[in-house]
Amino acid sequence: MKLAYWMYAGPAHIGTLRVASSFKNVHAIMHAPLGDDYMNVMRSMLERERDFTAATASIVDRHVLARGSQKRVVDNILRKDQEERPDLIILTPTCTSSILQEDLQNFVERASIISNSSVIFADVDHYQVNEIQAADRTLEQVVRYYLDRSHTQEALDQFVTDVPSVNIIGIFTLGFHNQHDCRELRRLLRDLDIEINQIIPEGGAVEDLKELPKAWLNLIPYREVGLMTAMYLNKEYAMPYISTTPMGAVDIAECIRQIHKKINTLASGSSNKRRVDCEPFIDAQTRFVSQAAWFSRSIDCQNLTGKKTVVFGDATHAASITKILAREMGIHVSCAGTFCKHDAEWFKEQIQGFCDEILITDDHAEVGDMIARVEPSAIFGTQMERHIGKRLDIPCGVISAPVHIQNFTLGYRPFLGYEGTNQIADLVYNSFALGMEEHLLDIFGGHDTKEIIEKSLSTNKGLIWNPESRLELSKIPRFVREKVEKNTEKFARQKGIRTITVEVMYAAKETFGT
Amino acid sequence: MSVKIDETLTVECETGNYHTFCPISCVSWLYQKIEDSFFLVVGTKTCGYFLQNALGVMIFAEPRYAMAELEEGDISAQLNDYEGLKRLCIRIRRDRDPSVIIWIGTCTTEIIKMDLEGMAPKLEWEIGIPILVARANGLDYAFTQGEDTVLAAMAHRCPEPEICLREREEMIQKVLAFPSREKDESHGYANHPSLVLFGSLPSNVVSQLNLELRRQSIKVSGWLPAQRYTDLPSLGDGVYVCGVNPFLSRTATTLIRREKCELIGAPFPIGPDGTRAWIEKICSVFGVEARGLEEREERIWESLKDYLDLVRGKSVFFMGDNLLEVSLARFLIRCGMIVHEIGIPYMDKRYQAAELALLRDTCTRMCVPIPRIVEKPDNSNQIRRLRELRPDLAITGMAHANPLEARGISTKWSVEFTFAQIHGSANARDLLELVTRPLRRQRNLEHFGQNTLVK
């Protein structure tokens, strides 16, 4: 038992639901009590999703507790099958069903005999994995299910495409800037003359998964989700994969080189010999398309030299941003950390030599203490770090989930690819510039030192607020208090009332409506 | 399945596959209401994640609530629950020094049968802070019913009637020094038994309702909950109680059965019609003649005219998730709207009897049929009905709001009604402000011409 106020990664079933609702025509049914279908709200609010989220609950209530789910889960699966005709139904366990230990696998088997849709049981344990790990597992499970099925039906076409092609694995709903990153990756691959075979899970159709092995290789933009699938495809279908995140000029170049190397090796074996040199492309993009390299040279960035920062986030983003700050912008990273405890070794290895210390924790208080101790000029972290920054008066750029609605921007804001480097440079520079301005304001005592003498437009001549009404006024939320005060006084003057009592206040409210 | 209340009112019951908030969400408003409390939710990551996301920015303001997050060892009973909770509560006492700690039991504590009620008195004695237990879990309750479980638990802790009596004696002795009648009149209160109102409301709404009753020379002796735990009202034999919210049936039952209070069954003070009926009922129980209520209600309706013009003749559909639905529907029918369906998670026909009667009378008065009331609704059936009926407004949870908007159906997020100030005559305007917002926006965007935004 531990005291917790806040968490970086959600419970396992959220991860499963995110993968399920990213695919087209897949329905997730949670075995959960009332109120656990919170993912729908997040998707509808944060992603501003126009469609109903294909996730519903098979409600666990008192009766289920007493007598077991019995037919209920099966009925719910069959009902969804009838109503929505999904390709796949994923029965998702929650923390509640983990302890009930009902044989959900058995329900799935029974339902799948009758239903038109395929039915699988998400193999995630609430107490073993978190949201991120569960998403990774579920994606692998779905891919494995469809490939195995095609394999047994001998419907699997293992011939690769004529032209070089890749699968992008790990773009999904509620992911940090995933939609924009996806567009940027498409553009990058198009520029490199590489075709995209499939993008999963976002927008992918499960019935097409059998086409996955047609790609020459797999690209895993984020470490957190997709790596398990890539390893499975590598093992079973000998598909190579690249897991270098194309974030920041250096790593983008690295990623492109790896892709080319793989493609050239594969091409040399086939009749289709297309050896291309990617270096001119990288050079042109780095120097002229991306403004980031030039920005690092410019005077602006010079001023950032040696400024102290702290970076915290998921493994992918925290590692990439640390490297960008340290080696591409010359900024001093005092501490870099991640909440992906399960991936700590990889993280440490990545940022070795780019920061003074490393923090691996999922306790936000520990992160807060570290920030307070380091006193950086800017923080790059999650929404939590942004709030820590607010309290400590340190600017913060948000670089990783968990995030808030403002991080689901309508405008184009990729973090990956060459446009991503520009976005990151802006983000970094704006965080510092704001910090600097604040600092100067502090030294010179603010923009406007002349005291404002009369702020209120109302002339409360002769009006007396009695102590009770004064107290009542103070209870009104600050943002409407002034308006209430003004309206009450206006009302009192109209009525010729001299002393304002609580009754007068509410009579005014009834008249003016505020 | 449907149950008839009387010949005109029927309550249907569907499958219960609907979206609502988990009842543990009540900590979000209760910890702010009860200033010296600390809420400890004993549950899993799922509960924590819900609270963190549902409460948004509030979490960053150092809230007086936390999760006692159960780990695998707690579930398999390898760890000692009592020791675990003791450790956390001692830490809470050290960091926050609250006057009361409220344990919120969740689905997990229910399933593993963690004996919170058994442990609380022992630990309370050991650490010297009152510990209340409320089982606000998703197995049994929906959303606002969480508050009901907390208040029901709190009712047991209200001061004993003995103290109440002693105080009264002391007061009588003091009063005896003066002519008693004059004293009474100087306060302007009628001579009536003590009245305690129950339901958590923001403090200025509390004063507004107190004031409404003071106008009828009725004195409110206290509220459950009060602003501070240490100020809980005295309860006991002969104390009259009255609810201000439709979801407080357990609390009402506890007050009647355990605390021996007299319940005044009245419609709820939502909308000017509800407020008037609520006051009238209290007055009639105390034998006080209500004065000026009719003119007052008339005046309020008059001041709402601009909004009423906007809603008149428009139709509305309640999907149902917070139990305020019947009261809101009754108010909106009185405003001239047509209600297609009142979805509601749970319908306590006894506790809501007066409200249901007012709904029936309002329908008769406005010459509209009584809308169907659907208990434990089924969201996918409801969406089908919504598509057929195409109401002007759907009052629904956030999970459905954006998808419905994209299909050209205006929506109002139902949770806002639980957080906005909607009680009493003075807030009727705020209530209509909420209801008309989507309609006004619709009007403003009329010429934009993009009503359906899905393929």
Side-chain angles (χ1 to χ4, degrees):
Chain A
M1 206 180 284
K2 66 176 185 194
L3 200 62
Y5 293 91
W6 206 80
M7 60 189 83
Y8 284 101
H13 74 274
I14 299 281
T16 300
L17 295 185
R18 282 172 62 189
V19 168
S21 54
S22 297
F23 276 115
K24 260 193 292 204
N25 214 22
V26 171
H27 200 103
I29 294 181
M30 281 166 276
H31 188 239
L34 205 60
D36 272 4
D37 54 350
Y38 194 69
M39 213 281 293
N40 299 21
V41 178
M42 290 177 65
R43 201 162 122 91
S44 166
M45 272 177 76
L46 299 177
E47 291 256 41
R48 301 179 193 89
E49 184 55 55
R50 300 172 196 212
D51 279 316
F52 292 102
T53 299
T56 44
S58 172
I59 302 283
V60 176
D61 57 16
R62 273 289 150 194
H63 300 287
V64 171
L65 219 55
R67 310 182 313 172
S69 296
Q70 296 186 340
K71 268 173 85 244
R72 197 186 273 204
V73 173
V74 179
D75 286 348
N76 279 318
I77 293 173
L78 296 177
R79 186 176 160 201
K80 271 299 151 221
D81 174 48
Q82 291 293 312
E83 281 177 359
E84 317 236 326
R85 307 225 156 265
D87 295 325
L88 173 68
I89 294 174
I90 303 181
L91 182 62
T92 310
T94 58
C95 60
T96 310
S97 57
S98 293
I99 345 171
L100 282 176
Q101 295 190 324
E102 280 194 85
D103 192 0
L104 294 176
Q105 182 66 50
N106 176 33
F107 294 148
V108 164
E109 274 154 26
R110 268 163 55 199
S112 62
I113 297 167
I114 322 166
S115 91
N116 295 307
S117 322
S118 308
V119 189
I120 62 172
F121 177 60
D123 177 26
V124 288
D125 182 338
H126 178 91
Y127 295 96
Q128 304 282 330
V129 293
N130 66 20
E131 172 183 358
I132 299 169
Q133 294 161 296
D136 202 11
R137 266 168 203 249
T138 305
L139 183 58
E140 191 244 16
Q141 197 190 349
V142 173
V143 168
R144 185 191 288 267
Y145 175 82
Y146 277 93
L147 287 179
D148 282 354
R149 201 179 68 172
S150 303
H151 202 76
T152 48
Q153 291 170 349
E154 289 173 8
L156 203 60
D157 182 2
Q158 286 212 45
F159 289 106
V160 293
T161 53
D162 295 339
V163 289
S165 62
V166 299
N167 297 319
I168 301 176
I169 300 177
I171 306 283
F172 72 140
T173 192
L174 292 169
F176 184 72
H177 292 245
N178 271 202
Q179 310 295 340
H180 311 293
D181 284 348
C182 184
R183 232 169 98 189
E184 187 62 21
L185 286 177
R186 277 171 184 276
R187 196 167 80 171
L188 183 69
L189 292 167
R190 196 184 56 221
D191 289 350
L192 289 167
D193 252 342
I194 297 170
E195 288 210 343
I196 292 171
N197 185 48
Q198 280 192 23
I199 296 173
I200 58 165
E202 187 64 51
V206 280
E207 296 295 340
D208 295 342
L209 288 176
K210 61 176 185 293
E211 310 286 332
L212 277 177
K214 284 181 162 250
W216 289 31
L217 55 96
N218 292 317
L219 179 61
I220 316 300
Y222 317 105
R223 269 196 81 70
E224 284 73 25
V225 178
L227 212 51
M228 269 182 87
T229 312
M231 287 186 204
Y232 160 74
L233 290 169
N234 180 252
K235 191 165 157 259
E236 297 292 321
Y237 298 91
M239 291 180 77
Y241 66 89
I242 284 151
S243 62
T244 304
T245 303
M247 198 187 308
V250 177
D251 278 354
I252 298 172
E254 175 61 24
C255 181
I256 294 174
R257 285 190 194 108
Q258 285 180 10
I259 293 174
H260 261 264
K261 206 171 140 208
K262 286 269 158 54
I263 284 174
N264 286 341
T265 339
L266 292 167
S268 65
S270 78
S271 55
N272 187 355
K273 290 213 186 324
R274 300 182 0 146
R275 291 195 71 91
V276 240
D277 185 12
C278 60
E279 290 308 325
F281 173 77
I282 293 173
D283 183 61
Q285 292 281 326
T286 312
R287 285 201 294 153
F288 304 111
V289 174
S290 160
Q291 300 293 317
W294 156 238
F295 176 72
S296 308
R297 279 269 164 279
S298 74
I299 299 297
D300 276 343
C301 207
Q302 207 179 71
N303 288 338
L304 302 183
T305 309
K307 287 249 176 270
K308 277 203 286 189
T309 58
V310 162
V311 179
F312 196 85
D314 63 20
T316 303
H317 288 87
S320 295
I321 296 289
T322 304
K323 288 188 276 183
I324 292 169
L325 291 173
R327 75 182 166 198
E328 293 178 25
M329 299 179 114
I331 295 166
H332 185 97
V333 180
S334 303
C335 182
T338 181
F339 55 84
C340 295
K341 284 160 108 175
H342 61 280
D343 212 10
E345 289 315 307
W346 176 86
F347 183 76
K348 285 180 192 158
E349 187 195 306
Q350 285 294 304
I351 57 165
Q352 203 66 59
F354 293 117
C355 62
D356 301 342
E357 54 175 310
I358 298 170
L359 180 67
I360 311 286
T361 180
D362 55 4
D363 179 359
H364 75 276
E366 220 176 299
V367 179
D369 291 346
M370 178 270 289
I371 292 171
R373 173 169 53 80
V374 171
E375 290 184 49
S377 317
I379 311 166
F380 297 96
T382 70
Q383 276 293 332
M384 190 67 208
E385 281 69 48
R386 196 172 75 86
H387 283 270
I388 295 170
K390 258 190 193 164
R391 204 181 308 159
L392 299 171
D393 249 342
I394 303 169
C396 177
V398 176
I399 52 120
S400 158
V403 286
H404 212 249
I405 189 149
Q406 68 236 43
N407 301 105
F408 289 88
T409 57
L410 301 177
Y412 187 48
R413 299 266 169 77
F415 269 63
L416 302 185
Y418 287 106
E419 178 55 28
T421 61
N422 295 337
Q423 296 292 338
I424 293 169
D426 276 344
L427 180 76
V428 171
Y429 182 64
N430 290 342
S431 306
F432 277 109
L434 290 171
M436 194 95 98
E437 193 183 0
E438 294 254 320
H439 191 56
L440 284 173
L441 284 177
D442 233 28
I443 293 172
F444 294 106
H447 280 298
D448 211 351
T449 48
K450 245 178 106 97
E451 202 180 323
I452 301 158
I453 297 154
E454 187 55 78
K455 207 172 145 215
S456 167
L457 291 172
S458 68
T459 45
N460 55 349
K461 234 186 284 163
L463 288 174
I464 304 149
W465 288 73
N466 76 354
E468 280 160 34
S469 61
R470 200 29 82 198
L471 182 72
E472 193 64 19
L473 186 68
S474 70
K475 286 189 212 156
I476 289 164
R478 195 167 300 142
F479 56 96
V480 286
R481 198 181 297 155
E482 219 166 280
K483 199 169 169 199
V484 171
E485 190 175 355
K486 233 180 275 172
N487 280 344
T488 310
E489 288 176 357
K490 191 167 139 199
F491 176 79
R493 269 193 302 279
Q494 281 174 2
K495 298 271 169 185
I497 297 166
R498 297 281 306 272
T499 310
I500 295 173
T501 60
V502 179
E503 300 215 18
V504 175
M505 274 177 79
Y506 289 114
K509 184 180 160 68
E510 280 158 29
T511 310
F512 293 115
T514 311
Chain B
M1 192 178 76
S2 60
V3 179
K4 273 197 190 298
I5 294 172
D6 61 25
E7 59 279 13
T8 42
L9 250 149
T10 23
V11 176
E12 289 172 44
C13 190
E14 279 190 314
T15 62
N17 285 322
Y18 64 101
H19 166 79
T20 182
F21 274 6
C22 174
I24 58 171
S25 54
C26 68
V27 307
S28 70
W29 64 86
L30 288 176
Y31 91 82
Q32 299 200 15
K33 172 69 194 178
I34 309 164
E35 287 169 359
D36 51 353
S37 61
F38 192 99
F39 286 80
L40 186 67
V41 183
V42 189
T44 60
K45 247 186 169 27
T46 307
C47 315
Y49 196 66
F50 163 70
L51 278 181
Q52 156 176 343
N53 280 294
L55 309 186
V57 288
M58 272 194 265
I59 187 86
F60 302 110
E62 298 244 344
R64 289 187 320 280
Y65 73 80
M67 290 290 307
E69 195 185 316
L70 300 172
E71 289 160 305
E72 204 169 16
D74 300 304
I75 304 302
S76 54
Q78 287 164 350
L79 302 172
N80 188 324
D81 300 333
Y82 185 78
E83 290 304 319
L85 282 168
K86 184 176 161 188
R87 186 167 46 82
L88 300 191
C89 287
I90 287 175
R91 211 176 121 191
I92 291 164
R93 185 181 63 181
R94 189 194 66 203
D95 295 349
R96 303 296 171 95
D97 190 29
S99 309
V100 60
I101 297 176
I102 296 143
W103 288 350
I104 303 286
T106 62
C107 306
T108 312
T109 57
E110 285 300 310
I111 296 169
I112 64 172
K113 300 197 164 42
M114 191 185 273
D115 183 21
L116 293 175
E117 277 94 347
M119 287 187 277
K122 233 164 95 187
L123 190 57
E124 172 171 331
W125 183 80
E126 212 173 331
I127 68 169
I129 294 178
I131 296 175
L132 301 189
V133 180
R135 299 178 172 198
N137 61 67
L139 294 168
D140 301 306
Y141 305 109
F143 195 15
T144 47
Q145 288 181 290
E147 174 180 321
D148 194 20
T149 63
V150 173
L151 297 190
M154 206 165 268
H156 295 311
R157 302 300 183 102
C158 289
E160 302 286 321
E162 285 92 46
I163 304 168
C164 205
L165 277 176
R166 201 191 315 130
E167 271 176 0
R168 212 178 288 162
E169 274 164 24
E170 276 169 19
M171 218 175 70
I172 288 166
Q173 274 171 2
K174 269 189 213 156
V175 168
L176 281 177
F178 301 93
S180 65
R181 187 159 251 189
E182 217 168 277
K183 179 79 181 176
D184 247 11
E185 274 167 12
S186 73
H187 277 88
Y189 290 120
N191 188 20
H192 65 79
S194 144
L195 171 69
V196 170
L197 301 178
F198 59 94
S200 160
L201 293 178
S203 65
N204 50 320
V205 181
V206 166
S207 347
Q208 283 167 26
L209 290 182
N210 284 345
L211 193 65
E212 296 268 12
L213 289 172
R214 194 167 85 185
R215 289 210 184 95
Q216 307 302 333
S217 62
I218 287 171
K219 185 180 163 97
V220 179
S221 317
W223 280 75
L224 173 70
Q227 201 67 22
R228 298 179 65 81
Y229 176 75
T230 46
D231 296 341
L232 282 180
S234 308
L235 287 179
D237 214 351
V239 175
Y240 280 71
V241 290
C242 186
V244 296
N245 267 324
F247 45 77
L248 297 172
S249 51
R250 273 178 72 92
T251 310
T253 315
T254 310
L255 290 172
I256 300 168
R257 297 217 181 123
R258 297 281 306 264
E259 308 300 319
K260 311 282 179 237
C261 300
E262 296 284 340
L263 177 72
I264 302 175
F268 302 101
I270 292 169
D273 49 340
T275 309
R276 177 183 163 191
W278 182 72
I279 298 170
E280 273 174 352
K281 184 65 198 275
I282 294 173
C283 286
S284 78
V285 168
F286 289 152
V288 173
E289 199 189 331
R291 284 164 302 175
L293 280 178
E294 199 176 330
E295 301 84 67
R296 191 170 149 70
E297 192 195 341
E298 223 33 66
R299 215 173 55 238
I300 301 281
W301 285 118
E302 194 55 38
S303 72
L304 299 175
K305 206 176 163 302
D306 50 339
Y307 279 151
L308 294 179
D309 289 342
L310 216 59
V311 297
R312 194 168 301 121
K314 296 266 180 6
S315 58
V316 59
F317 188 108
F318 286 88
M319 285 187 80
D321 71 347
N322 58 16
L323 285 96
L324 292 171
E325 290 87 1
V326 174
S327 310
L328 291 174
R330 176 260 302 153
F331 167 64
L332 293 181
I333 291 170
R334 180 68 180 77
C335 289
M337 291 185 92
I338 297 145
V339 176
H340 287 307
E341 174 168 331
I342 307 175
I344 188 166
Y346 169 70
M347 182 78 225
D348 186 330
K349 282 160 227 119
R350 267 212 291 194
Y351 178 63
Q352 294 225 39
E355 182 62 84
L356 287 168
L358 184 59
L359 171 72
R360 192 192 50 218
D361 295 347
T362 305
C363 289
T364 317
R365 177 180 178 161
M366 302 304 289
C367 303
V368 289
I370 293 171
R372 68 195 290 186
I373 301 175
V374 181
E375 195 182 5
K376 286 171 171 278
D378 183 287
N379 279 167
S380 55
N381 291 347
Q382 282 185 315
I383 287 165
R384 211 171 305 131
R385 294 199 286 270
L386 267 169
R387 283 178 161 163
E388 281 163 21
L389 294 164
R390 299 205 66 86
D392 296 300
L393 184 66
I395 294 178
T396 172
M398 200 63 213
H400 303 301
N402 269 337
L404 286 174
E405 287 281 353
R407 283 157 185 77
I409 295 175
S410 285
T411 59
K412 180 81 229 142
W413 187 22
S414 55
V415 173
E416 284 186 62
F417 293 104
T418 51
F419 292 123
Q421 304 185 351
I422 59 168
H423 291 76
S425 299
N427 290 311
R429 206 177 165 80
D430 295 20
L431 187 47
L432 276 178
E433 162 76 27
L434 278 182
V435 174
T436 56
R437 199 175 294 155
L439 301 173
R440 282 177 287 135
R441 190 198 38 189
Q442 187 73 12
R443 201 175 54 179
N444 294 344
L445 295 179
E446 219 160 41
H447 304 291
F448 195 40
Q450 257 119 33
N451 274 330
T452 321
L453 289 155
V454 280
K455 283 171 202 149

